[in-house]
Amino acid sequence: MPSTLSFKMKMPGMKFVCLLMAAELLWSPVSSSISVLRLSNSTDYCTLANSHLSCDFTGVDEPVYAEEGYLENIDSVECRGPLVLHLPENACIKNMTIQHTKKVVVTGRSWKTSCNEYHLFVNNTTMTAIPLTTTHLHAVRSTCYKMTLHPKMKHVSIVSSRVSFLTTDQFLNDSVVVNITNTTVHYVNSLSASKNAKIQFLASDIAYMRLDRTALQDNAALVMVNSRIRAGDNQELLVPPGVSVILDRLDSKLEIRAIGIIPGSESSQSPESCNGISIKESTTQYFVQFVFFCASTVFLLLVVLFMCIKIMTTCLLKRSVRQIPDSVGHERQIRQNGNTLSEISLNELFESSGNFLNESFLHDHEKTAEADEKKELERPY
């Protein structure tokens, strides 16, 4: 009896062990058959030649991963045609080309070393973001959901592409050049540049731009040629001294306002606050200079006008002085001649009228005397 009971008590344990053994036997071949596609020389879709890894995943529906440990001692990688490529945000590859990829998911961290240079070339590809280690970016006919520009970047070229969200986390510097050509940008959250950095929009369309978060200083430059800005929270761009802004055939209501910078401000200030900018002092300074220029110009014009009037007055006085003697003599002669003529005409008229009166008076007197004589003879005594 005791032996029988002990055997029955051991039966459940044995069944559990048997189940574990069966599960291991079933799992081992399945787990060994599952494989992950990586950017690696050991992958059937990749070939390595002179530290250049070329992979072609065209027609492959499985995702591809770029992981640390599989790309050691490789200077350049070319990846073509995967359905999805998982790329760490701190990937460190000297030269990487991604072409004809439906989606590049940039997330997570796997590389622990820092990159001195990371050249990323994207063609006909959609990316969720740009790796933070990227120093040189060139994108053609591609789409990027979030493009964050950082101070480590040295050159950025976006051509015939679409960017949903464009922003800068810090000031671009060290003469970095950002060229955005024939590209549609849906939302520009912030643009900040300093130390000879240059940002250019050529034949591009910006749906919405936060001008209040656009900060330029230290000889930075902003160029917008044959482009359009549809809307924004603010249509006024603050431009401190030394900054170059070129607007040519820009379809926008953008207005430029000159400002000054408080001495001692650092170039690493937040682009959202613009704490180092003094609008009141700079506006007063430029207003005083403008008023001084206008006053100087008006004063010079008045001096020139006064000199011209003085010269013309002097010339007129001289001419009038020369003409006075001749006019006076001529006037006197006219007056004398006029008096002579008037006297002669009056005398002649008086004399003629006098003679006429005397003759008529005598004739009438003679007629009256004859009549009186006839009356005396005819009167009866």
Side-chain angles (χ1 to χ4, degrees):
M1 290 294 293
S3 61
T4 305
L5 292 174
S6 62
F7 179 77
K8 290 181 178 180
M9 293 294 293
K10 292 180 181 178
M11 284 297 292
M14 294 178 63
K15 289 183 178 180
F16 180 73
V17 172
C18 292
L19 289 174
L20 289 177
M21 293 176 63
E24 184 178 358
L25 292 174
L26 292 173
W27 178 258
S28 56
V30 174
S31 61
S32 61
S33 63
I34 295 177
S35 61
V36 177
L37 293 180
R38 297 182 178 90
L39 295 179
S40 172
N41 185 26
S42 60
T43 304
D44 295 336
Y45 302 96
C46 299
T47 57
L48 179 64
N50 298 326
S51 70
H52 174 73
L53 181 65
S54 178
C55 302
D56 190 352
F57 296 96
T58 303
V60 178
D61 296 335
E62 299 178 13
V64 179
Y65 295 85
E67 297 179 356
E68 183 184 7
Y70 293 90
L71 298 174
E72 294 179 354
N73 301 322
I74 294 179
D75 293 334
S76 62
V77 176
E78 181 179 358
C79 181
R80 177 187 293 269
L83 183 66
V84 178
L85 173 64
H86 291 269
L87 185 65
E89 63 181 7
N90 60 339
C92 187
I93 304 173
K94 188 174 182 180
N95 294 285
M96 186 171 188
T97 302
I98 304 175
Q99 300 187 51
H100 309 290
T101 301
K102 188 174 182 180
K103 180 181 290 186
V104 178
V105 180
V106 179
T107 181
R109 293 175 178 267
S110 63
W111 270 268
K112 298 180 180 179
T113 58
S114 60
C115 288
N116 294 326
E117 286 192 355
Y118 180 14
H119 297 252
L120 178 61
F121 302 88
V122 181
N123 181 22
N124 193 22
T125 298
T126 298
M127 302 191 67
T128 60
I130 302 298
L132 299 178
T133 51
T134 305
T135 58
H136 297 74
L137 174 63
H138 183 73
V140 180
R141 294 186 298 275
S142 299
T143 300
C144 182
Y145 293 128
K146 183 178 181 180
M147 182 177 294
T148 302
L149 307 179
H150 52 80
K152 293 181 181 180
M153 287 185 166
K154 299 179 181 179
H155 186 82
V156 177
S157 177
I158 311 297
V159 180
S160 301
S161 301
R162 300 175 68 89
V163 179
S164 298
F165 188 86
L166 176 64
T167 185
T168 53
D169 56 356
Q170 296 181 22
F171 275 78
L172 304 178
N173 52 34
D174 295 335
S175 301
V176 62
V177 178
V178 178
N179 289 324
I180 300 177
T181 305
N182 195 23
T183 296
T184 299
V185 183
H186 294 284
Y187 188 89
V188 179
N189 183 52
S190 66
L191 286 180
S192 54
S194 64
K195 296 182 180 179
N196 298 315
K198 187 175 184 180
I199 302 176
Q200 295 186 132
F201 291 91
L202 307 177
S204 296
D205 188 0
I206 301 174
Y208 194 94
M209 185 173 182
R210 291 288 301 271
L211 290 176
D212 58 333
R213 293 186 179 182
T214 301
L216 305 172
Q217 61 184 31
D218 295 338
N219 298 321
L222 176 63
V223 179
M224 291 185 172
V225 178
N226 196 21
S227 299
R228 179 172 63 168
I229 302 176
R230 299 185 186 181
D233 291 342
N234 186 12
Q235 297 296 334
E236 187 177 59
L237 178 62
L238 305 180
V239 179
V243 172
S244 174
V245 176
I246 300 176
L247 307 177
D248 186 11
R249 290 166 291 166
L250 177 65
D251 184 6
S252 172
K253 297 180 180 179
L254 179 63
E255 297 179 359
I256 304 298
R257 180 179 179 184
I259 62 172
I261 298 180
I262 298 176
S265 63
E266 298 181 356
S267 61
S268 60
Q269 60 179 336
S270 173
E272 298 183 2
S273 59
C274 297
N275 294 323
I277 297 174
S278 172
I279 298 176
K280 183 177 180 181
E281 293 181 2
S282 63
T283 305
T284 305
Q285 180 181 0
Y286 280 91
F287 179 76
V288 171
Q289 293 179 358
F290 177 76
V291 171
F292 178 77
F293 173 77
C294 293
S296 303
T297 305
V298 172
F299 178 76
L300 291 176
L301 290 175
L302 290 176
V303 170
V304 172
L305 182 61
F306 177 77
M307 294 298 295
C308 293
I309 293 174
K310 187 175 181 180
I311 293 173
M312 292 177 63
T313 305
T314 304
C315 294
L316 291 174
L317 287 175
K318 289 182 179 180
R319 292 182 60 183
S320 62
V321 169
R322 292 177 182 176
Q323 293 177 0
I324 285 174
D326 298 337
S327 62
V328 170
H330 181 67
E331 186 176 0
R332 287 179 179 176
Q333 184 177 359
I334 291 174
R335 288 179 179 177
Q336 291 177 359
N337 295 335
N339 293 334
T340 303
L341 294 173
S342 60
E343 290 175 358
I344 293 173
S345 60
L346 289 175
N347 291 333
E348 291 178 353
L349 180 61
F350 180 75
E351 290 177 356
S352 60
S353 62
N355 293 332
F356 175 77
L357 290 173
N358 291 334
E359 291 178 354
S360 61
F361 178 74
L362 293 176
H363 180 70
D364 293 340
H365 182 69
E366 290 177 354
K367 287 184 176 182
T368 305
E370 290 180 356
D372 291 337
E373 287 181 358
K374 288 182 178 181
K375 291 180 179 181
E376 287 294 333
L377 291 178
E378 295 176 355
R379 182 182 298 175
Y381 291 99

